[in-house]
């Protein structure tokens, strides 16, 4: 998990042309948001060098084996991870990329050593475009006719739009209810599955399901947003 200082230095000094080369397309369609990707790479590399000795493992160790502490460290130090919006005059926070970074750290380290986060279940699913799609496909969530019409027409939403926030928020709540229901089912059977059922593992499962059942899901539209938070 450690990023060598040379790598962090490289990220911090990469030029736009270098980033364009790394992310070059094998079709005529270029990768979107290339300027933003360049900015985020430089920003992350600079933060790693200036605050964590060039290694993300330093950040992990500072979390003291807490998923929530690591999440806060990421949000406090890496601006591009602050995935927030305002909904009906209230601040809402999704932190998709920040949470998946914490979860993948836990997963790669197999929940051991510096990655033994006892509070891993405090994370939510990682709300982007694919999880809502599979939840609708499985009829765990329903969209209004108006929203479905917009999705089928290929409407491009902006990050923070009412519909986008609702889709992501409902996905998180839906998966929280699924986890709660599964835990209750096992509890009735006299089995404690609190260490085996959480939003992280549910997200991994749903993402794999969406990948493996892509053809079956092609008639279920997903919402389209171009931003750095997904």
């Amino acid at each position: 998990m450690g990023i060598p200082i040379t790598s962090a230095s490289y990220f911090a000094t990469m030029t736009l042309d270098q980033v364009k080369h790394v992310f070059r397309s094998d079709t005529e369609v270029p990768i979107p948001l290339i300027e933003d990707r360049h900015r985020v790479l430089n920003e992350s590399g600079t933060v790693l060098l200036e605050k964590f000795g060039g290694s993300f493992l330093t950040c992990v160790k500072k979390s003291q084996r807490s998923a929530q502490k690591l999440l806060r460290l990421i949000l406090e130090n890496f601006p591009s991870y602050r995935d927030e919006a305002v909904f009906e005059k209230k601040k809402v926070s999704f932190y998709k990329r920040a949470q998946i970074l914490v979860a993948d750290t836990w997963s790669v380290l197999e929940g051991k050593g510096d990655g033994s986060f006892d509070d891993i279940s405090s994370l939510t699913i990682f709300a982007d475009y694919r999880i809502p799609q599979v939840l609708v496909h499985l009829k765990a969530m329903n969209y209004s006719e108006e929203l479905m019409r917009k999705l089928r027409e290929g409407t491009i939403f902006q990050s923070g739009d009412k519909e986008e926030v609702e889709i992501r928020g409902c996905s998180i709540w839906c998966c929280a209810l699924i986890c709660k229901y599964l835990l209750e089912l096992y509890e009735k059977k006299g089995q404690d599955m609190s260490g085996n059922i959480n939003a992280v593992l549910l997200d991994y499962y749903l993402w794999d399901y969406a990948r493996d059942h892509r053809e079956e899901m092609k008639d279920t539209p997903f919402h389209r947003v171009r931003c750095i938070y997904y």
Side-chain angles (χ1 to χ4, degrees):
M1 285 304 299
I3 299 178
I5 291 180
T6 52
S7 296
S9 300
Y10 182 62
F11 291 149
T13 58
M14 284 184 77
T15 66
L16 179 58
D17 285 340
Q18 287 174 318
V19 174
K20 286 180 178 179
H21 178 73
V22 170
F23 290 106
R24 63 193 180 279
S25 177
D26 60 0
T27 70
E28 294 182 357
V29 180
I31 190 170
L33 304 176
I34 192 65
E35 290 83 5
D36 289 321
R37 296 174 193 275
H38 173 237
R39 174 179 57 80
V40 168
L41 276 172
N42 284 176
E43 176 186 273
S44 298
T46 299
V47 171
L48 283 174
L49 285 170
E50 293 181 350
K51 297 187 177 182
F52 300 103
S55 173
F56 183 67
L57 183 58
T58 303
C59 194
V60 175
K61 289 182 178 295
K62 285 188 175 183
S63 72
Q64 299 175 319
R65 301 180 181 180
S66 166
Q68 284 299 316
K69 286 184 179 179
L70 181 54
L71 180 62
R72 287 196 295 272
L73 278 168
I74 294 167
L75 295 173
E76 288 169 359
N77 292 282
F78 298 88
S80 67
Y81 286 87
R82 296 170 194 160
D83 177 10
E84 301 168 347
V86 176
F87 184 79
E88 296 185 353
K89 299 181 180 180
K90 294 182 179 179
K91 175 184 171 182
V92 291
S93 307
F94 296 106
Y95 302 145
K96 185 260 180 180
R97 290 174 52 237
Q99 289 197 102
I100 202 170
L101 176 54
V102 175
D104 284 351
T105 299
W106 171 73
S107 180
V108 167
L109 297 179
E110 300 179 338
K112 301 174 183 176
D114 294 317
S116 56
F117 304 144
D118 291 336
D119 57 346
I120 192 67
S121 294
S122 64
L123 300 184
T124 73
I125 57 112
F126 321 127
D128 58 6
Y129 63 95
R130 192 63 73 189
I131 298 302
Q133 182 194 28
V134 70
L135 290 174
V136 172
H137 172 74
L138 295 173
K139 302 187 185 308
M141 271 191 354
N142 290 309
Y143 289 155
S144 68
E145 291 183 7
E146 174 65 14
L147 178 56
M148 188 63 82
R149 180 187 64 77
K150 289 183 178 181
L151 298 181
R152 292 194 187 282
E153 290 176 351
T155 300
I156 305 294
F157 296 103
Q158 298 298 314
S159 177
D161 279 353
K162 181 175 183 292
E163 294 96 335
E164 189 248 3
V165 173
E166 288 179 334
I167 290 171
R168 299 180 80 195
C170 287
S171 299
I172 290 172
W173 182 239
C174 179
C175 288
L177 292 177
I178 291 172
C179 287
K180 180 176 181 291
Y181 184 67
L182 287 172
L183 289 168
E184 289 174 350
L185 282 178
Y186 279 103
E187 187 178 353
K188 289 177 181 178
K189 296 179 181 180
Q191 301 179 49
D192 180 9
M193 297 292 287
S194 56
N196 301 93
I197 295 174
N198 57 50
V200 171
L201 297 175
L202 178 59
D203 188 288
Y204 288 165
Y205 172 81
L206 292 174
W207 182 268
D208 289 344
Y209 182 96
R211 179 195 60 202
D212 297 338
H213 296 80
R214 186 168 298 177
E215 280 301 307
E216 296 171 34
M217 292 174 51
K218 64 182 180 181
D219 292 330
T220 304
F222 55 86
H223 69 286
R224 301 169 186 270
V225 179
R226 281 191 172 174
C227 66
I228 64 171
Y229 300 121
Y230 284 34

